[in-house]
Amino acid sequence: MFNFTIRRLILTIPTLLFISFVIFLIVKLSPSDPTGNLPLTIPAEVREQIREALGVNQPLIVQYLKWLQQFFWIEPLIYLENATGWDLGAGDATRLISYQTRSPVMDLIMQRMPQTLWVVGTAYVVGILIALPIGVISAYKQYSVFDQVGTFVSMVGFSVPPFFSGVVVIVLFSVIIPSDSFFWLPSIYDTTHRVTDWDSFVYQFRQMIMPVMVLALQITAQISRFTRASMLDNLNQDYVRTARAKGLRERTVVLLHVLRNSMIPVVTVIALGIPSIFGGAIITEQVFKVNGLGQLLILSIQGGDVPTVQTLTFIFAILIVLFNLIADILYGLLDPRIRYD
Amino acid sequence: MPRGDLSDQSADLSALQPVLDVQNLKTVFKTRSGEVHAVNSVSFDVKPGELLGVVGESGSGKSVTMMSLIGLLPSPPADVKDGRVIFDGVDLLKADAKTLRSVRGGKIGFVFQDPMTSLNPVFTVGFQIAEPLRKHMGLGKRAARARSVELLELVGIPDAARRLSDYPHQFSGGMRQRVMIAIALACDPKVLIADEPTTALDVTIQAQILELIKDLRQKLGMAIIWITHDLGVIAGIADRVVVMYGGQIVEQAPVKELFGNPQHPYTRALLETIPSVRGPREDKLNVIEGQPPIMGAAPTACPFRARCSFRHDRCDRENPVRRTVGPGHDAACFHEFSHGA
Ligand SMILES: Nc1ncnc2c1ncn2[C@@H]1O[C@H](COP(=O)(O)OP(=O)(O)O)[C@@H](O)[C@H]1O
Ligand SMILES: [Mg+2]
């Protein structure tokens, strides 16, 4: 297992290099002008100077290597310096700068990370916690009323996109319900809000309800269906009959023997879905005005902010590769039949 | 209980009180395409220490009968409609779930057909053997482990103590079946039900498992119900044989009597299908023409009549009940065969 992990980690290097190059090319080759958003009054020769200063006139390969160096070397070095207080000589190196805001891309990302992690991460956890019992019960009581309702709700969760369900809950809870009612919920996520006491905690809780609900609906639909299918697969296996023939309680049979086997693919799917916490909630963040990573990506695309788009996309790619590896390792840990070495 | 020549014992066996007494068992499956009457008024008993062979083509209801006995069939679709199963003075069909669980794996052990799928792939063999020990005998961790080692040694698994921490996939098919037998015998059952335990194994392994069972029977003295579709296997080990066809018992006799003086056309046909090693080589294997019936309703005529060469008019109108045709020997057929024919 250890050797396997090392081998796979080494293999991720060429994979990531290739992905980074493709991302770089796609973003670079898109017909977007970094000075396009500047006021029209700026004369052409000044624009040219700005382009020169941004380095966009250099050969592509030079720009690519510079970006790599900044991403993999200078930025980590700066974070290390800030964290430890040592002087590693990164102080005057040029950082990855956003065209739009003129501030370092990494700082932008770090500012927005907590909002995304809070809202989308909570939704993911909530979704899983709801999905697992639903999946287990619907499989065990296949075709029961519970299962039928579960199937219907999952269908809805699958087929209704968040930009629709988001608007529906906003209309319901922020518009129709009067704002002095207990059930009224804020439709805009206030990221400047700080939790300092009980009341501010309650407010934070309330403003998270709607975005979390919308996202969790999707996640619950997916994971509960998957859990159900996996449980059904296993409930019909011969070893379940053996477990019953031993005189074990039904609860032990289902929650120990069957569930332990069913969780192998489910855990893998959950691990593979984690990168989407960072990137997948783009639409939902937009609907509820959560200024997280998804919103940052959309604004940067609209503003032709090449460094930010490149860097964000590449970070999502790294997360996907990383969690693929983690899923593989988890699979090996959970299933004794799999031996990678 | 040491045993002498089996045939000498069969006489005094009949005087003993049965350890398991099944009367008029009926099991119906309700499926979307209608009912399947898999078991129709099956009655038989097993004496302490006796080895009862149950033979019949696949689909004749052998497995369903045994699973009905201790409530192992999922309901729906299965419905055990009628009958009594007296074990230890209790009717298992009326017993509550708790009593039933204490019988399963405790006083009645089960070995199933396919050892490759009958063990749970994600738990160690040690864990799976210890489960019934902890459950029924209340053993602690160490005592259960000691007993597990003993059991594995009993069923002939070398290096038992070390192999407890191995997973099922690390064992060969024959070894896995030995593990299954160890699990079934864990709590010193009074009855061991072995449902085609050698069918999935190759011939040399089959012979080893047969030897093992003979040996264990000598040592432990439990009653055994041995299900097979192979009369050849039964001849070597059984005291008494029950022949099943179309969900019914069509003939029942001590083993020598059955082979020497079969009184049901189906039994006769089965005996003819055994290829003989001695004597002139036959060009063609004997087969019973036609298909076993799938009983869509409770039978009102002899289920074997379509394939029978001794068919009477009466066979279409009436389902023959078992009548005594010799000492300890009964058959469900209207035709009278001359003795020894
Ligand atoms: N779950 C089920 N649903 C419907 N019919 C079944 C089911 N299980 C078994 N049967 C039917 O019961 C009959 C007896 O099956 P079984 O006892 O498994 O035969 P065998 O003698 O080979 O062990 C067969 O006709 C089979 O089709
Ligand atoms: Mg069977």
Side-chain angles (χ1 to χ4, degrees), chain A residues 180-222:
Chain A
D180 49 3
S181 155
F182 173 75
F183 293 103
W184 179 85
L185 296 171
S187 71
I188 293 180
Y189 188 91
D190 176 8
T191 43
T192 60
H193 180 73
R194 289 283 161 273
V195 177
T196 50
D197 53 7
W198 177 249
D199 283 344
S200 58
F201 172 77
V202 170
Y203 185 81
Q204 173 67 15
F205 185 79
R206 289 170 69 98
Q207 72 170 354
M208 277 175 72
I209 290 179
M210 282 203 289
V212 165
M213 227 162 48
V214 166
L215 283 169
L217 177 67
Q218 263 196 322
I219 295 157
T220 304
Q222 201 186 345

Side-chain angles (χ1 to χ4, degrees), chain B:
Chain B
M1 181 183 352
R3 344 193 86 253
D5 189 318
L6 294 178
S7 53
D8 288 337
Q9 287 233 328
S10 47
D12 39 13
L13 273 174
S14 58
L16 287 170
Q17 196 66 17
V19 56
L20 179 70
D21 188 1
V22 179
Q23 291 161 21
N24 268 322
L25 189 70
K26 278 200 183 85
T27 303
V28 177
F29 289 98
K30 297 218 165 62
T31 67
R32 253 175 285 178
S33 48
E35 296 191 338
V36 178
H37 290 244
V39 178
N40 297 301
S41 297
V42 162
S43 305
F44 66 92
D45 60 14
V46 197
K47 305 282 164 26
E50 184 184 29
L51 200 153
L52 177 74
V54 178
V55 282
E57 278 166 283
S58 60
S60 54
K62 308 181 297 292
S63 302
V64 174
T65 303
M66 297 310 153
M67 309 251 280
S68 305
L69 295 187
I70 53 171
L72 271 184
L73 289 175
S75 172
D79 182 12
V80 182
K81 283 195 117 109
D82 202 2
R84 299 203 300 162
V85 176
I86 309 295
F87 176 80
D88 253 0
V90 195
D91 184 353
L92 294 185
L93 297 187
K94 297 205 174 66
D96 55 81
K98 203 173 164 212
T99 315
L100 218 50
R101 280 202 304 267
S102 75
V103 171
R104 283 188 210 145
K107 296 179 189 134
I108 298 183
F110 242 102
V111 178
F112 297 103
Q113 177 169 338
D114 192 349
M116 304 313 261
T117 55
S118 290
L119 290 165
N120 193 326
V122 302
F123 293 114
T124 62
V125 159
F127 176 83
Q128 297 186 60
I129 301 180
E131 265 187 316
L133 294 170
R134 301 226 291 259
K135 165 102 195 160
H136 299 293
M137 300 169 78
L139 296 188
K141 222 177 167 180
R142 295 183 65 180
R145 191 184 152 82
R147 170 91 178 128
S148 305
V149 174
E150 224 177 270
L151 283 163
L152 284 191
E153 278 166 357
L154 183 71
V155 297
I157 291 181
D159 207 2
R162 199 181 51 79
R163 303 231 62 185
L164 282 183
S165 52
D166 281 351
Y167 289 91
H169 71 273
Q170 290 163 293
F171 290 77
S172 66
M175 284 294 158
R176 279 191 226 184
Q177 199 57 299
R178 284 170 195 262
V179 172
M180 281 298 294
I181 294 171
I183 292 175
L185 295 178
C187 305
D188 275 326
K190 290 187 175 169
V191 180
L192 174 71
I193 301 180
D195 188 350
E196 310 209 26
T198 58
T199 305
L201 304 172
D202 52 34
V203 190
T204 50
I205 311 290
Q206 277 187 23
Q208 289 172 12
I209 297 284
L210 269 174
E211 280 310 310
L212 172 69
I213 292 283
K214 276 194 206 170
D215 182 43
L216 289 173
R217 192 184 161 209
Q218 208 97 59
K219 281 187 191 149
L220 309 173
M222 69 282 182
I224 299 177
I225 301 178
W226 186 282
I227 301 172
T228 178
H229 55 246
D230 186 351
L231 269 178
V233 168
I234 283 293
I237 56 166
D239 299 319
R240 198 152 53 91
V241 182
V242 153
V243 181
M244 286 195 72
Y245 188 83
Q248 303 181 32
I249 293 182
V250 294
E251 185 161 10
Q252 186 266 121
V255 67
K256 279 199 172 162
E257 170 79 6
L258 188 93
F259 279 84
N261 181 26
Q263 289 292 316
H264 194 282
Y266 178 62
T267 316
R268 292 177 160 247
L270 273 184
L271 288 171
E272 277 162 22
T273 58
I274 304 177
S276 111
V277 182
R278 279 171 245 132
R281 184 167 162 167
E282 287 152 58
D283 293 340
K284 212 171 125 220
L285 285 176
N286 281 315
V287 293
I288 308 177
E289 295 295 334
Q291 293 292 319
I294 289 176
M295 313 298 290
T300 54
C302 175
F304 190 60
R305 68 188 188 286
R307 302 163 82 185
C308 183
S309 38
F310 303 93
R311 181 170 171 176
H312 296 226
D313 286 347
R314 207 177 159 193
C315 307
D316 300 328
R317 283 180 272 119
E318 246 180 278
N319 188 13
V321 289
R322 268 148 70 193
R323 60 189 172 87
T324 308
V325 292
H329 184 177
D330 46 46
C333 183
F334 298 122
H335 189 79
E336 309 224 356
F337 295 95
S338 56
H339 231 73

Side-chain angles (χ1 to χ4, degrees), chain A residues 47-217:
Chain A
R47 279 176 197 273
E48 194 47 42
Q49 279 169 2
I50 293 176
R51 285 203 198 94
E52 194 65 45
L54 290 174
V56 289
N57 292 339
Q58 285 171 325
L60 272 186
I61 188 72
V62 174
Q63 292 185 45
Y64 171 65
L65 290 176
K66 257 192 158 160
W67 175 54
L68 275 191
Q69 186 215 15
Q70 284 167 326
F71 187 91
F72 281 112
W73 181 243
I74 293 175
E75 293 293 339
L77 217 58
I78 286 172
Y79 275 91
L80 200 64
E81 280 189 353
N82 288 347
T84 59
W86 302 333
D87 183 11
L88 300 169
D92 34 74
T94 25
R95 300 185 62 181
L96 268 168
I97 302 292
S98 152
Y99 289 168
Q100 258 184 329
T101 61
R102 313 282 145 178
S103 57
V105 174
M106 283 301 176
D107 291 354
L108 286 179
I109 292 176
M110 285 302 163
Q111 277 163 14
R112 283 161 179 264
M113 188 90 88
Q115 286 86 279
T116 296
L117 278 184
W118 262 112
V119 175
V120 194
T122 309
Y124 208 65
V125 173
V126 168
I128 290 168
L129 289 181
I130 298 174
L132 291 183
I134 290 183
V136 170
I137 298 171
S138 348
Y140 189 66
K141 304 246 179 246
Q142 197 186 6
Y143 304 132
S144 65
V145 176
F146 184 93
D147 184 27
Q148 311 275 7
V149 172
T151 306
F152 178 76
V153 174
S154 306
M155 278 322 181
V156 173
F158 261 130
S159 44
V160 177
F163 63 76
F164 183 78
S165 50
V167 174
V168 169
V169 292
I170 286 179
V171 168
L172 271 179
F173 289 99
S174 311
V175 180
I176 294 181
I177 292 179
S179 59
D180 49 3
S181 155
F182 173 75
F183 293 103
W184 179 85
L185 296 171
S187 71
I188 293 180
Y189 188 91
D190 176 8
T191 43
T192 60
H193 180 73
R194 289 283 161 273
V195 177
T196 50
D197 53 7
W198 177 249
D199 283 344
S200 58
F201 172 77
V202 170
Y203 185 81
Q204 173 67 15
F205 185 79
R206 289 170 69 98
Q207 72 170 354
M208 277 175 72
I209 290 179
M210 282 203 289
V212 165
M213 227 162 48
V214 166
L215 283 169
L217 177 67

